[in-house]
Amino acid sequence: MKRRIHAYVEGRVQGVFFRDFARREAYPLSVKGWVRNMSDGRVEVVAEGEEENLKNFVESLKKGPPLAIVTDVEVEWEEYRGEFSDFRIKSYWD
């Protein structure tokens, strides 16, 4: 079953290649959506895909890349909307 997540990742997650890490983790799981840094130091992720693949993706977000220190990942599960064709890195202003 396809689902959607809206997640906020806290900790040392900016300036450590976290957004690129999320994009690379999403690709083999066929997860589509986006990731961006937030002005408060968190990283925001909106992603869609098969529920099991999203669960695996969230587990990757909880670990992060080698330089990251993830202290919390808040995940809201939502209805699938089918609005994404890829997974991309967004800027603050997108």
Side-chain angles (χ1 to χ4, degrees), residues 3-60:
R3 298 286 307 272
R4 177 185 180 104
I5 60 164
H6 194 160
Y8 297 94
V9 185
E10 295 183 32
R12 187 172 76 186
V13 293
Q14 291 191 14
V16 295
F17 301 100
F18 196 96
R19 293 175 299 162
D20 185 61
F21 168 82
R23 185 175 51 84
R24 286 184 285 115
E25 292 293 312
Y27 181 76
L29 296 170
S30 299
V31 169
K32 314 291 187 201
W34 54 262
V35 59
R36 71 175 168 192
N37 286 341
M38 297 179 66
S39 60
D40 64 5
R42 296 181 298 165
V43 169
E44 181 180 19
V45 180
V46 174
E48 295 185 334
E50 292 295 331
E51 186 171 0
E52 193 61 34
N53 290 351
L54 286 172
K55 287 178 182 177
N56 291 331
F57 182 61
V58 168
E59 288 305 310
S60 294

